[in-house]
């Protein structure tokens, strides 16, 4: 166990540059994440073919996954951003989704891959799929870095990085009240 300021990391493998009074347990390391993202990129390219793929980054949580996926994908890639806010600063899904930043280009006729940080209840994705369908893309696939099986989402992602249990996780884009998004690993908040 390591203590850095008032932040405790279990097991101790990465020294964080935050000291926000939380105890974190590392679930997936930076190396495990890099390997998994490379495999997902190969799978996505194999499934969708050599044509241009539009990665639709769901802000804010999808920003690191999108950046890594974009660099791991061979062939032509466009990047778009859609900002949604689904939680406020709570640890539980409110079910209310709000668009905070809209697309700047049409996605009509495009091969879209929605890039999300995590699917929990799936309410965010369900809402998003309706919003996107109205804009007539050629196809929409969903890549979620994490999935909480306990959430029993009505919308299933086509590509999933890792499954996590019914715990609150941070890092690699995911926040707790806007903190910890910059951690290069995925960790569960112990307290
Ligand atoms: P859903 O609508 O319940 O599927 O929740 C999806 C959104 O809630 C995600 O895109 C995240 O922004 C957020 N979220 C859900 N679970 C967690 C978590 O464990 N840590 C951080 N954010 C989460
Ligand atoms: Mg999110």
């Amino acid at each position: 166990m390591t203590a850095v300021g008032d932040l405790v990391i279990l097991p101790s493998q990465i020294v964080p540059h935050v000291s926000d009074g939380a105890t974190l347990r590392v679930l997936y390391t930076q190396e495990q994440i890099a390997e998994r993202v490379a495999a997902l990129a190969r799978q996505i390219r194999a499934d969708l073919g050599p044509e241009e793929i539009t990665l639709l980054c769901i802000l804010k949580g999808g920003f690191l996954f999108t950046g890594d996926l974009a660099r791991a994908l061979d062939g032509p890639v466009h990047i778009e951003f859609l900002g949604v806010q689904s939680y406020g600063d709570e640890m539980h899904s409110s079910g209310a989704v709000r668009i905070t930043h809209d697309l700047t280009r049409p996605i009509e006729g495009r091969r879209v891959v929605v890039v999300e940080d995590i699917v929990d209840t799936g309410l965010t994705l369900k809402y998003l799929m309706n919003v996107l369908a109205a804009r007539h893309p050629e196809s929409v696939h969903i890549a979620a870095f994490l999935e909480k099986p306990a959430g029993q989402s009505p919308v299933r992602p086509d590509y999933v990085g890792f499954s996590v249990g019914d715990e609150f996780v941070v890092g690699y884009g995911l926040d707790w009240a806007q903190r910890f998004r910059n951690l290069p690993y995925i960790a569960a908040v112990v307290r």
Side-chain angles (χ1 to χ4, degrees), residues 86-87 93 116-124 148 167-169 174-175:
S86 40
Y87 265 40
S93 196
E116 252 287 37
D117 51 1
I118 187 167
V119 182
D120 181 9
T121 63
L123 292 172
T124 306
K148 281 185 183 171
E167 48 195 347
F168 199 79
V169 296
L174 291 129
D175 72 305

Side-chain angles (χ1 to χ4, degrees), residues 62-142:
F63 83 111
L64 289 180
F65 184 29
T66 301
D68 286 347
L69 204 52
R71 283 176 288 186
L73 270 171
D74 284 333
V77 171
H78 277 204
I79 319 268
E80 285 295 328
F81 298 95
L82 186 65
V84 303
Q85 194 174 2
S86 40
Y87 265 40
D89 284 340
E90 329 271 282
M91 272 193 174
H92 303 284
S93 196
S94 63
V97 183
R98 190 163 74 82
I99 293 204
T100 56
H101 177 275
D102 206 345
L103 302 171
T104 57
R105 300 280 170 90
I107 53 165
E108 185 167 351
R110 296 195 162 273
R111 230 163 253 211
V112 173
V113 176
V114 172
V115 186
E116 252 287 37
D117 51 1
I118 187 167
V119 182
D120 181 9
T121 63
L123 292 172
T124 306
L125 267 186
K126 194 171 166 219
Y127 170 84
L128 278 179
M129 293 307 270
N130 288 331
V131 168
L132 296 180
R135 300 177 185 200
H136 308 292
E138 181 193 293
S139 62
V140 181
H141 290 79
I142 300 167

